C-alpha cells in the first residue's frame, strides 16, 4: 500500500528513479554528499537517505528523501540543509525537498562505502 492507501501496481518501484542522465545530476549528488547526519559520520547520500533527485530542463530540482528514523533530532532542519547544498550547484534555479517515510529507511540502503565506514563490512 502507498501512503494514500491505494494498492501499488506490480512492477512500479517504491522509490521514483532519479533522472541520472541530466547534466546537473552528478553535481547534485556531490552536493548531497556534503550533508552529514550529525549523529552518523557518513554523508546522507551514501547513507541512502536521498531517494530521488529529479531535475527538469529549467534547472529546477525535486528531491525526495527520508531520515533514519521519524524521531531524528534534525528532522526539521535536514531538508533545508539539502536544499541549501543543491542550490549551490552552478545554474540550479530552485530546489524542492520532500521528506517521506515510505518506504522506510533500512541499513540495506547504504552504499558499500557507508557500510565500510560504519564497520558493517
Amino acid at each position: 500500500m502507498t501512503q494514500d492507501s491505494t494498492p501499488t501496481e506490480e512492477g512500479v518501484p517504491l522509490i521514483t528513479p532519479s533522472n541520472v542522465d541530466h547534466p546537473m545530476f552528478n553535481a547534485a549528488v556531490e552536493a548531497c554528499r556534503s550533508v552529514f547526519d550529525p549523529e552518523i559520520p557518513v554523508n546522507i547520500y551514501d547513507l541512502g537517505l536521498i531517494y530521488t533527485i529529479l531535475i527538469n530542463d529549467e534547472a529546477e530540482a525535486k528531491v525526495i528523501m527520508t531520515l533514519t528514523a521519524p524521531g531524528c533530532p534534525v528532522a526539521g532542519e535536514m531538508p533545508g540543509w539539502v536544499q541549501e547544498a543543491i542550490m549551490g550547484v552552478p545554474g540550479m534555479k530552485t530546489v524542492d525537498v520532500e521528506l517521506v517515510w515510505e518506504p522506510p529507511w533500512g541499513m540495506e540502503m547504504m552504499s558499500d562505502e557507508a557500510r565500510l565506514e560504519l564497520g558493517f563490512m
Side-chain angles (χ1 to χ4, degrees):
M1 294 280 200
T2 60
Q3 288 178 335
D4 63 0
S5 299
T6 57
T8 57
E9 295 179 40
E10 190 171 331
V12 174
L14 290 174
I15 298 172
T16 303
S18 297
N19 57 343
V20 299
D21 57 337
H22 192 281
M24 298 174 105
F25 177 78
N26 289 334
V29 166
E30 288 309 308
C32 290
R33 284 190 167 125
S34 73
V35 179
F36 286 77
D37 183 321
E39 297 179 338
I40 305 171
V42 175
N43 71 73
I44 63 167
Y45 189 83
D46 288 327
L47 271 178
L49 299 181
I50 301 296
Y51 285 170
T52 306
I53 300 173
L54 297 171
I55 307 169
N56 66 20
D57 292 338
E58 287 77 44
E60 300 165 330
K62 165 78 173 183
V63 178
I64 301 171
M65 68 172 294
T66 194
L67 300 173
T68 54
C72 178
V74 294
E77 299 171 55
M78 195 169 300
W81 298 345
V82 172
Q83 181 182 35
E84 185 178 314
I86 297 176
M87 277 303 297
V89 171
M92 191 67 70
K93 290 193 178 128
T94 64
V95 179
D96 176 38
V97 180
E98 179 183 355
L99 187 60
V100 299
W101 303 108
E102 291 294 327
W105 178 85
M107 289 185 9
E108 70 281 355
M109 295 175 170
M110 289 191 285
S111 70
D112 287 344
E113 293 82 5
R115 290 172 202 235
L116 187 63
E117 177 74 25
L118 295 173
F120 295 122
M121 286 183 71

